[in-house]
């Protein structure tokens, strides 16, 4: 078997990245694909083959069939817990460090609900669509901590969540995975409402502070990297355009074509786990 060819990075792009003061890295599901987390458009296994993931990520789907949606998230949580950051995550963390050491700043903005950027060493990651490891009551909003214990400053009623068990309200489920299973969500002991993942579904507002910071970062960026996203979900998909209008160089890293191309200066076709380490090495050395 021959090794994959090294992606070619233009010297002039490497120079632009090396001298950039403000960098924004916007990531999507493709950034975690090589870690084993399926993207939203990939075919899923088991029960989920019959469902469009985007159709499960809505408040309407949860209201209509909470057991189906909760089961999907329990499965995804256990999958995320078992996955490890890939070289693309590592390169982003290194990029952030290198830009910081030169007196600038690199902001990592992700649409992903996993924590692989953090586990690779990235700092202050902005999660536009929430975090899969966290849960809250769908009715009263009470946070449920990962271990099901009382949330800091809360009155603790979610701690006594019933049904699927508060322990399933957070991290990896007790059974280590629930592929293809319907699971009733735990109930909030305070109000009896169903517990849901603390993530942003279609039609729901993004966390305000996170969105404002991302928007401001894009508007002030010298370089914006759009990594592993189909650029179809708004308002996140607006960020590269905000950056471009403000004069930033926009770089896309993706093995496939996306609708973002007209706004892109550098279209680096390939998987993030190969292209990003090459790009960061070209800019800052091996
Ligand atoms: C690789 C790779 C490798 C593969 N390396 N790459 C304007 C116009 C039209 C509609 C709207 C609009 N503004 C808002 C809307 C509505 C809606 C929307 O955008 N709809 C569109 C589908 C048209 N947006 C919303 O509803 C948002 N909320 C909102 O706007 O609120 C307004 C409001 C204000 C005030 C009060 C109330 C409301 C919320 C959007 C939330 C999205 N949520 C999800 C689920 C998160 C939880 C979970 O994970 O379960 O977020 S949906 C899903 O899509 C998920 C993702 O983060 C998001 C983006 O997907 P992503 O990351 O791009 O993944 P894919 O699968 O699409 O693409 C993967 C890419 O990777 C591909 O390109 C591959 O080629 C590539 N790839 N391997 C690099 N190795
Ligand atoms: Zn409640």
């Amino acid at each position: 078997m021959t090794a994959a060819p090294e992606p070619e990075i233009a010297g002039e792009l490497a120079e632009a990245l090396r001298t950039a003061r403000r960098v924004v890295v916007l990531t999507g599901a493709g950034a975690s694909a090589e870690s084993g987390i399926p993207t939203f458009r990939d075919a899923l296994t088991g029960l989920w083959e019959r469902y469009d993931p985007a159709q499960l990520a809505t408040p309407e789907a949860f209201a209509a069939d909470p057991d189906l949606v909760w089961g999907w998230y329990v499965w995804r949580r256990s999958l995320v817990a078992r996955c490890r950051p890939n070289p693309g995550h590592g390169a982003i963390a290194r990029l952030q460090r290198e830009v910081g050491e030169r007196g600038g700043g690199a902001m990592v903005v992700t649409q992903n609900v996993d924590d692989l950027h953090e586990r690779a060493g990235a700092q202050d990651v902005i999660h536009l669509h929430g975090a899969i490891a966290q849960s809250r009551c769908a009715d009263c909003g009470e946070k449920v901590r990962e271990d099901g214990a009382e949330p800091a400053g809360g009155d603790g009623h979610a701690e006594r969540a019933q049904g699927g068990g508060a322990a399933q309200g957070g991290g990896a489920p007790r059974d280590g995975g629930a592929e293809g299973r319907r699971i009733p969500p735990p109930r909030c002991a305070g109000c009896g409402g169903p517990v849901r993942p603390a993530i942003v579904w279609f039609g729901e507002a993004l966390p305000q502070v996170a969105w404002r910071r991302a928007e401001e970062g894009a508007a002030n960026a010298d370089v914006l990297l759009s990594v592993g996203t189909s650029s179809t979900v708004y308002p996140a998909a607006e960020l590269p355009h905000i950056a471009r209008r403000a004069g930033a160089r926009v770089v896309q890293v993706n093995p496939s074509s996306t609708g973002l191309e007209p706004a892109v200066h550098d279209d680096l076709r390939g998987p993030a786990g190969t292209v990003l380490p090459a790009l960061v090495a070209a800019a800052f050395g091996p």
Side-chain angles (χ1 to χ4, degrees):
M1 208 171 84
T2 51
E6 273 292 303
E8 272 184 41
I9 307 295
E12 174 254 338
L13 168 60
E15 176 67 14
L17 198 55
R18 181 166 48 247
T19 54
R21 303 277 302 170
R22 286 155 303 192
V23 177
V24 171
V25 185
L26 170 66
T27 67
S32 296
E34 289 157 88
S35 294
I37 301 176
T39 67
F40 277 81
R41 271 116 199 120
D42 276 336
L44 294 178
T45 52
L47 173 69
W48 317 122
E49 251 173 31
R50 289 183 276 127
Y51 299 91
D52 172 358
Q55 303 268 308
L56 290 167
T58 70
E60 291 77 18
F62 187 67
D65 195 343
D67 299 8
L68 176 74
V69 174
W70 185 254
W72 185 52
Y73 278 100
V74 168
W75 169 68
R76 284 184 55 208
R77 274 178 179 163
S78 80
L79 182 67
V80 166
R82 281 181 273 126
C83 289
R84 299 284 167 263
N86 67 61
H89 294 107
I92 291 170
R94 180 181 171 204
L95 171 65
Q96 192 180 48
R97 220 170 38 244
E98 299 280 3
V99 175
E101 280 169 8
R102 285 161 180 77
M107 180 185 271
V108 181
V109 180
T110 189
Q111 298 168 80
N112 298 343
V113 295
D114 64 56
D115 61 350
L116 297 183
H117 286 303
E118 287 91 342
R119 285 201 255 153
Q123 305 288 318
D124 195 19
V125 179
I126 297 177
H127 282 269
L128 293 178
H129 295 162
I132 199 165
Q134 293 163 14
S135 304
R136 64 179 165 83
C137 171
D139 290 350
C140 74
E142 177 77 14
K143 277 187 191 165
V144 178
R145 243 175 47 178
E146 278 180 60
D147 57 3
E150 182 176 350
D155 64 8
H157 65 237
E159 177 186 10
R160 301 181 301 277
Q162 300 147 4
Q168 287 192 354
R174 278 185 292 251
D175 65 4
E179 187 174 347
R181 279 214 286 127
R182 283 184 146 79
I183 300 176
R187 313 298 301 189
C188 166
C191 78
V195 168
R196 56 162 283 181
I199 54 166
V200 182
W201 283 330
F202 282 117
E204 297 184 320
L206 273 61
Q208 229 175 43
V209 172
W211 173 248
R212 277 215 205 99
R213 288 184 66 202
E215 211 178 10
E216 199 180 302
N220 290 299
D222 300 316
V223 175
L224 180 140
L225 304 180
S226 174
V227 178
T229 173
S230 57
S231 297
T232 51
V233 174
Y234 288 82
E238 195 52 38
L239 292 171
H241 299 280
I242 293 171
R244 166 108 202 194
R245 283 196 295 273
R249 183 166 183 150
V250 177
V251 182
Q252 175 168 260
V253 178
N254 200 309
S256 308
S257 168
T258 75
L260 183 62
E261 263 110 75
V264 159
H265 294 97
D266 308 275
D267 193 10
L268 306 182
R269 285 291 170 95
T274 307
V275 173
L276 285 173
L279 176 62
V280 174
F284 301 104

